[in-house]
Amino acid sequence: NMNTFSGSLELTAYKKPLPERTSLCLFNGNELIFSIYGKWLMPLFEAEKFLADYEAKHGKPENLCVHDTSAGKAAVLLMFRLGAKYIHADLMSELAVDFAECLNRKYPEKQMQVSFGKTVPRLLCQTETFFEKIEDEGFMYANLRQRAGLEDF
């Protein structure tokens, strides 16, 4: 009976190298459901829009996996909000890794498994510097949407 193993399906697709001119991929299990090329956090905001649509048609992905080229603290917040269970970034800041652990402790029912190609202490980006000491997820999210031009001021 094949179903015995469905719960422990090995998720490998999301860790494979990203195709050229792709900065973000979303997988439901091992199935690619979304990919995009873009700058800053815009691909994650696009993913948010895509998922709202996807979930309306197919329901919530059972095992949402995300692969991003680079992820700082802000990206981890957005991935968490997407409902990602598995996150892989080619480059991830230690700030982001710590924040993911912090979210995992705070929301034990929404555990994220984090992996990366390599880490750096911080990404060289204003967003990373700005959010370094901020732990308020609601504030961070509102601020990011504003920076992305998605919010009325």
Side-chain angles (χ1 to χ4, degrees):
N1 180 348
M2 287 301 289
N3 291 340
T4 335
F5 298 104
S6 63
S8 61
L9 171 73
E10 208 185 335
L11 300 171
T12 51
Y14 80 101
K15 286 187 179 178
K16 293 197 173 110
L18 290 169
E20 203 150 318
R21 286 197 67 77
T22 303
S23 41
L24 177 77
C25 285
L26 298 190
F27 296 83
N28 184 7
N30 284 315
E31 180 199 356
L32 177 68
I33 56 172
F34 178 80
S35 69
I36 191 170
Y37 178 76
K39 297 270 175 251
W40 191 59
L41 297 161
M42 296 320 282
L44 282 163
F45 283 116
E46 290 299 325
E48 196 176 52
K49 281 192 283 207
F50 163 79
L51 267 182
D53 214 39
Y54 179 90
E55 289 176 10
K57 292 187 188 102
H58 310 281
K60 252 183 147 18
E62 215 165 294
N63 277 309
L64 183 64
C65 307
V66 182
H67 186 156
D68 204 341
T69 38
S70 68
K73 187 173 179 178
V76 164
L77 175 70
L78 294 180
M79 292 171 186
F80 173 76
R81 289 184 56 98
L82 292 177
K85 289 183 183 170
Y86 300 87
I87 294 172
H88 184 78
D90 301 329
L91 178 68
M92 194 177 269
S93 70
E94 287 161 19
L95 191 67
V97 176
D98 291 346
F99 185 56
E101 285 169 6
C102 162
L103 289 169
N104 281 344
R105 279 194 303 274
K106 196 169 168 185
Y107 304 99
E109 73 290 351
K110 290 185 181 171
Q111 293 290 309
M112 294 180 291
Q113 207 169 301
V114 175
S115 59
F116 42 79
K118 63 177 191 174
T119 58
V120 289
R122 304 282 177 273
L123 297 185
L124 298 174
C125 118
Q126 285 177 317
T127 317
E128 186 92 320
T129 311
F130 181 75
F131 284 147
E132 182 160 4
K133 299 274 184 275
I134 296 172
E135 297 303 330
D136 180 333
E137 298 132 52
F139 170 80
M140 285 169 67
Y141 182 67
N143 182 276
L144 289 171
R145 284 190 65 85
Q146 203 176 9
R147 286 170 183 243
L150 298 170
E151 218 60 339
D152 307 324
F153 292 93

